[in-house]
Amino acid sequence: MPRQLNNRTILCYCAEMSFVAQLAGVPVAELARHAQTVSSERVRKSLLQSQLSLRDFAGLLSAAAGEELEKLARRSQALTQKRFGKVVRLFAPLYVSNECINTCRYCGFSRENPILRLTLERNEVLGEAQALRKKGFRNLLVVAGEHPKFVSPGYLAGCVGQLHPLFPSISLEVGPMETEEYRQIVKAGAEGLVVYQETYDRRTYEQMHPVGPKRDFDWRLETPERAYTAGFRRIGIGALYGLADWRSEALSVAAHAEYLLRNCWKAQVTISLPRLRPCAGEFQPLTHMTDRELVQLVCAFRLMFPDVGLVLSTREPAKLRDGLFPLGITLISAGSHTEPGGYTGAGKENIHQTVRGRIVEAGASEWATPINGHATNATGQFNIADERSADEVAKLIQRLGYEPVWKDWDAALTT
Ligand code: SF4
């Protein structure tokens, strides 16, 4: 049934009311307090259960559970192997544009940052994709800032259409759109949509997003439901850790995932766990999450959601990633560039700065990304921490006794 929220008409697509309405009823603060006071005994009981409630999950995020980390890790590892086998899937992000009309205080692409910007032509997108295919990738994440003038639904559908014959699995991480706009992208061959809420804390969200369409918290929160209605069969969600209390964020992500698993049940749900990295603008994280807490969170998500894919990007350093692969992570990026044209140097001649939506000639920018060889000088979204090539990461996965998987499925059965 249509309803009005923040001057937008929002449709309720699922059997239950939208998660926008449900989030208000999730007792996040009470559960976060529970995470501070829960006993070790209660945590151990949760560890024996095969199905966990949100309250059990809160217990797994506690300091008491942190002391049982080895136990948590063993259970998480065993459960992951049972449900997914000893495999880790690889994907590559393909940044097609770093134009953006939003101010997100923590992001290098934020509109007021005087960075060097670029939107790749479709043939350049194809060139970048072919370079990634040569490295072995068959699973792509097409990424762009939010700028309807440069990155329209038609542009993205065109990109996906030409990539689809080369890549059986294409997902997008782009500005939220209307259902009908998503439909044309699904029709072109995309199967997944990733949208991080960034923070589920409304006040922090408001402070972090002062300008641009992204200010609308509800519109963003309802994006996975619109994506599902449009036909995407993989839905990725997550919070950006470093903006609000990590336990509260994780509880909201878990509530969101529970909702999607109940209501958008034909789709596969994945959860990403990005922590803030240095970027243009030099924003400093507002909250801290230690490496050990990240490990604990991966295990807690795995125990709560045995069948949900857990995603780890190159934001994390190599050593930590190597330790996390066997514990519950099922999908990783590798050999990544976060600047458009980063894999081949495509589009170098079109690099510019953008002032109020108008292209102006590029001046000097301290945020250029000069990379040896052939990369462009467009600015990346954030600094990569794991700089190993995809091949090196794949070999490491093999050494750990796992199989690196470059693609999930073929368009047709092979005999
Ligand atoms: S996080 Fe996304 S919307 Fe915000 S500035 Fe960066 S690219 Fe734009």
Side-chain angles (χ1 to χ4, degrees):
M1 169 188 297
R3 65 200 165 79
Q4 202 73 22
L5 263 176
N6 292 350
N7 299 324
R8 279 185 203 269
T9 301
I10 293 182
L11 298 170
C12 293
Y13 308 98
C14 304
E16 291 179 39
M17 65 175 120
S18 157
F19 186 66
V20 169
Q22 292 215 346
L23 180 61
V26 180
V28 176
E30 193 269 313
L31 289 167
R33 273 196 301 279
H34 174 68
Q36 284 170 357
T37 54
V38 66
S39 67
S40 302
E41 196 191 348
R42 180 74 209 116
V43 170
R44 276 185 226 118
K45 270 191 192 153
S46 296
L47 280 175
L48 296 173
Q49 290 168 213
S50 55
Q51 268 201 321
L52 301 184
S53 65
L54 213 48
R55 199 171 179 77
D56 293 313
F57 178 72
L60 297 185
L61 305 179
S62 67
E67 283 163 24
E68 309 275 339
L69 190 54
E70 271 203 26
K71 241 183 237 169
L72 237 75
R74 273 201 301 276
R75 273 220 61 198
S76 176
Q77 183 172 21
L79 199 51
T80 308
Q81 283 185 18
K82 191 169 160 197
R83 301 300 178 110
F84 293 88
K86 288 188 83 174
V87 299
V88 178
R89 289 166 51 220
L90 290 146
F91 75 96
L94 199 175
Y95 279 72
V96 297
S97 174
N98 61 357
E99 299 282 357
C100 197
I101 46 171
N102 289 308
T103 294
C104 301
R105 295 205 186 282
Y106 47 83
C107 178
F109 293 170
S110 201
R111 63 187 269 171
E112 68 288 331
N113 283 346
I115 63 166
L116 301 181
R117 302 194 188 254
L118 173 65
T119 300
L120 297 178
E121 304 286 340
R122 283 189 202 158
N123 63 320
E124 293 167 341
V125 172
L126 186 59
E128 289 271 294
Q130 280 164 336
L132 288 166
R133 193 181 150 87
K134 271 192 200 138
K135 291 176 201 264
F137 287 107
R138 298 293 182 271
N139 189 347
L140 269 193
L141 177 66
V142 174
V143 188
E146 182 170 354
H147 204 308
K149 185 172 155 190
F150 296 95
V151 187
S152 65
Y155 166 81
L156 288 169
C159 290
V160 169
Q162 64 179 5
L163 298 178
H164 188 45
L166 300 175
F167 291 85
S169 185
I170 301 173
S171 296
L172 288 98
E173 187 182 338
V174 297
M177 294 176 199
E178 300 281 359
T179 306
E180 286 312 312
E181 293 171 329
Y182 281 143
R183 280 194 211 281
Q184 59 175 299
I185 296 171
V186 171
K187 205 169 160 201
E191 60 161 18
L193 190 90
V194 175
V195 58
Y196 302 149
Q197 189 61 25
E198 320 291 15
T199 172
Y200 286 79
D201 180 279
R202 283 182 183 269
R203 190 183 296 177
T204 308
Y205 189 94
E206 205 181 306
Q207 289 163 354
M208 290 298 106
H209 307 102
V211 179
K214 196 168 171 178
R215 275 178 307 168
D216 192 336
F217 181 98
D218 293 340
W219 170 247
R220 190 169 186 86
L221 191 59
E222 216 170 34
T223 302
E225 293 158 59
R226 290 194 305 278
Y228 180 67
T229 304
F232 282 106
R233 61 188 194 87
R234 288 185 204 265
I235 308 283
I237 60 167
L240 183 57
Y241 296 95
L243 299 178
D245 168 61
W246 71 267
R247 291 184 175 90
S248 303
E249 298 285 30
L251 283 159
S252 300
V253 171
H256 199 177
E258 266 191 331
Y259 173 88
L260 294 174
L261 289 167
R262 261 196 327 272
N263 291 283
C264 305
W265 54 273
K266 286 187 200 161
Q268 286 179 14
V269 174
T270 59
I271 296 175
S272 302
L273 303 98
R275 287 193 295 183
L276 261 171
R277 289 284 303 151
C279 65
E282 294 187 330
F283 179 84
Q284 290 300 318
L286 305 176
T287 59
H288 187 57
M289 178 196 225
T290 65
D291 290 354
R292 195 178 160 88
E293 286 166 344
L294 178 62
V295 174
Q296 184 176 349
L297 182 57
V298 167
C299 298
F301 272 133
R302 171 57 62 232
L303 299 187
M304 177 77 182
F305 302 112
D307 296 312
V308 158
L310 295 180
V311 187
L312 194 66
S313 76
T314 48
R315 286 171 180 265
E316 298 299 340
K319 204 169 160 204
L320 180 62
R321 279 178 24 116
D322 295 354
L324 278 168
F325 294 157
L327 296 186
I329 298 298
T330 53
L331 185 60
I332 60 161
S333 53
S336 305
H337 283 276
T338 69
E339 74 280 15
Y343 298 107
T344 63
K348 204 164 184 165
E349 60 288 354
N350 293 325
I351 288 171
H352 56 266
Q353 291 182 321
T354 308
V355 177
R356 291 193 196 94
R358 277 187 314 107
I359 289 177
V360 296
E361 206 173 305
S365 171
E366 61 183 304
W367 301 111
T369 314
I371 295 172
N372 289 339
H374 50 232
T376 73
N377 287 330
T379 309
Q381 190 176 27
F382 54 84
N383 297 345
I384 298 293
D386 183 351
E387 293 186 330
R388 292 174 297 182
S389 70
D391 191 46
E392 282 175 275
V393 173
K395 285 192 174 115
L396 182 275
I397 291 170
Q398 277 169 336
R399 279 205 301 281
L400 291 173
Y402 284 70
E403 185 191 346
V405 173
W406 299 88
K407 67 173 174 177
D408 294 322
W409 52 279
D410 287 299
L413 290 176
T414 48
T415 51

